[in-house]
Amino acid sequence: MVNFLLKYFSTSVAILISLYVGLLGLLTTSSFQAHVVYLHKIQMTWFKDLDVPESFGFLRNQVNPFSIKTLNGEALYAWHILPVELYRQHESALIAEPSGFVLDITSRLGFELLRDDPDARLILHFHGAAGTVGSGYRVPNYRALSAGQPGKIHVVTFDYRGFGHSNGTPSERGMILDALAVVDWAMETAGIPPSRILIFGQSLGTAVSIAVSEHFALQTPPVVFAGAVLVAPFIDVATLVATYRVAGLIPILSPLAKFPLLFNYFSTFIRDTWMSKDRVAEYVRVNEANGKKYRLTLIHAEDDYDIPSHHTQTIFWHAVNATIAGGISYGELEKMKSESKVDLGAAGSVVEWRTENGVIREEILKTGLHDVVMGNPVITMAVMRIFAPADPSFS
């Protein structure tokens, strides 16, 4: 009996090791790697039609589905979500319009309410891996984003190439082009100046958000948005896969993390590196050099089992370090944080780093998991902390 159990156990272990080795081999191919990193073929809309936003709990025509063209010809599926108080004020006219996908978004009342209101604010929403604009906790996230001023804060969210109804195949370069196209639509088609645009990203979307914010800050002349809110950001892909498990179960490179040489070897096959720590440092550095006002908020829950909260703490350090000519070590910053952070008890803790030009805020929550936090009041507060200082009457 003992021999049988030992044989069964050794066979099972051998099978698991073989499967994992096979997985590592597949991960060296760009196509399979894209599916694992982006999970773009997993829809998670549970047989609902994205062209019928009402099935996700929205009011009739509160959401206009439409598309945005990229420079290289991809069509990005998008939602324009009206804030609920503004919807109430124009309910009859909005209900009277045809529902469903809109070929010409500029012909709709919702678009006119965004374009023609000099006090309107726009949040560009960059979602995480897997799913679509209508998946999981994203719908309550949209409500939380506009809840602070439900008569003024519009949300535009979209699916990257290869996600949902958007055509193409996801890649780092391609998704950054997608983000640039969405920002261009906001500023050129909708006519919203960057001072009234907030960049919001969650998980994978934080890497896209940082990349697009850095891109515009580096332009001549520089373009700086009202601010950015990043929920559950990660340092870079190599650091992330050292602990990450797909669906919380299937490890990628985490079993190899104890073997640095082997881990580093397989890391060389990572196609899309998403170096957020470097990009956030450059974003801060260039804004400081140009004397541009900027606001950056990082939010992470301690019970996030997908992306550990130490990723946010490291990104905060890289951002702060970029404001200091001689730099600051991680340990030195941690010591300063321990002396200045606000302890919120069961709600977590907050630290702010202020310069003459910018505010970098780190919020570490006790709870919120990876996705649940998106619908919580902490998101509403983060948005208002960015919009209100620029215009105290906006409350």
Side-chain angles (χ1 to χ4, degrees):
M1 182 66 179
V2 173
N3 290 335
F4 172 78
L5 291 175
L6 287 173
K7 183 178 180 181
Y8 177 79
F9 176 76
S10 60
T11 302
S12 300
V13 170
I15 291 173
L16 289 174
I17 291 174
S18 298
L19 289 173
Y20 183 65
V21 170
L23 173 64
L24 290 177
L26 288 171
L27 282 171
T28 62
T29 66
S30 59
S31 176
F32 186 79
Q33 192 177 125
H35 282 280
V36 171
V37 172
Y38 300 118
L39 303 173
H40 53 288
K41 293 303 181 182
I42 301 176
Q43 300 292 307
M44 297 194 303
T45 46
W46 315 124
F47 308 107
K48 293 180 180 178
D49 187 348
L50 291 173
D51 287 339
V52 186
E54 292 81 0
S55 65
F56 294 87
F58 292 104
L59 301 164
R60 175 179 167 84
N61 288 334
Q62 183 186 0
V63 176
N64 285 149
F66 70 107
S67 65
I68 297 172
K69 291 289 186 181
T70 69
L71 289 176
N72 61 346
E74 304 291 3
L76 305 176
Y77 185 85
W79 278 0
H80 170 210
I81 305 162
L82 286 172
V84 67
E85 171 57 20
L86 184 64
Y87 179 93
R88 184 194 66 79
Q89 295 170 12
H90 301 272
E91 183 177 12
S92 296
L94 288 165
I95 287 176
E97 290 186 327
S99 62
F101 185 82
V102 180
L103 292 176
D104 179 13
I105 188 65
T106 64
S107 68
R108 289 305 178 94
L109 175 58
F111 176 83
E112 294 174 4
L113 294 172
L114 169 63
R115 180 193 61 196
D116 298 340
D117 182 1
D119 294 324
R121 301 297 192 274
L122 177 60
I123 295 177
L124 298 181
H125 181 278
F126 300 89
H127 68 64
T132 69
V133 292
S135 300
Y137 289 95
R138 290 168 191 164
V139 170
N141 183 205
Y142 308 143
R143 299 188 182 113
L145 289 170
S146 63
Q149 231 307 3
K152 295 294 182 183
I153 301 177
H154 298 243
V155 177
V156 166
T157 185
F158 71 102
D159 283 330
Y160 314 106
R161 61 187 64 202
F163 286 72
H165 292 334
S166 297
N167 54 24
T169 302
S171 67
E172 181 170 0
R173 181 179 179 276
M175 291 166 67
I176 292 173
L177 288 176
D178 296 344
L180 297 179
V182 171
V183 173
D184 182 71
W185 177 90
M187 294 195 297
E188 301 300 327
T189 303
I192 308 300
S195 61
R196 291 196 275 127
I197 295 174
L198 184 150
I199 304 296
F200 178 91
Q202 188 264 345
S203 193
L204 172 65
T206 65
V208 185
S209 299
I210 293 170
V212 76
S213 297
E214 178 204 28
H215 172 88
F216 280 98
L218 289 169
Q219 299 304 296
T220 304
V223 176
V224 182
F225 305 104
V229 176
L230 310 177
V231 179
F234 57 92
I235 297 167
D236 54 43
V237 171
T239 307
L240 178 62
V241 296
T243 57
Y244 187 72
R245 292 172 178 265
V246 178
L249 299 172
I250 305 171
I252 301 180
L253 295 183
S254 55
L256 302 182
K258 295 180 180 179
F259 309 97
L261 289 177
L262 196 57
F263 179 82
N264 291 337
Y265 170 73
F266 277 99
S267 294
T268 62
F269 290 97
I270 295 175
R271 180 188 66 168
D272 295 341
T273 56
W274 291 109
M275 303 293 287
S276 290
K277 70 180 192 305
D278 296 335
R279 284 179 169 143
V280 77
E282 183 63 14
Y283 165 76
V284 170
R285 189 177 296 111
V286 71
N287 283 332
E288 290 287 341
N290 292 332
K292 290 292 185 179
K293 303 296 183 184
Y294 65 95
R295 301 183 75 90
L296 176 65
T297 297
L298 311 172
I299 299 173
H300 218 129
E302 288 183 355
D303 62 353
D304 184 337
Y305 299 111
D306 290 301
I307 301 177
S309 59
H310 71 77
H311 282 264
T312 277
Q313 293 163 331
T314 300
I315 288 179
F316 181 77
W317 168 50
H318 279 272
V320 170
N321 187 58
T323 69
I324 302 172
I328 183 173
S329 72
Y330 185 87
E332 289 172 332
L333 180 59
E334 285 300 300
K335 182 179 179 181
M336 294 177 66
K337 286 166 62 175
S338 67
E339 297 169 352
S340 63
K341 73 177 179 182
V342 179
D343 187 346
L344 302 176
S349 64
V350 173
V351 175
E352 280 193 348
W353 183 272
R354 291 177 176 266
T355 71
E356 184 179 344
N357 301 302
V359 179
I360 306 169
R361 183 180 175 94
E362 175 194 271
E363 299 189 40
I364 303 297
L365 314 177
K366 290 293 185 183
T367 59
L369 298 174
H370 188 63
D371 298 312
V372 175
V373 62
M374 292 195 296
N376 291 352
V378 66
I379 301 300
T380 306
M381 290 292 288
V383 168
M384 294 307 294
R385 282 194 187 95
I386 287 175
F387 278 143
D391 181 3
S393 66
F394 188 78
S395 61

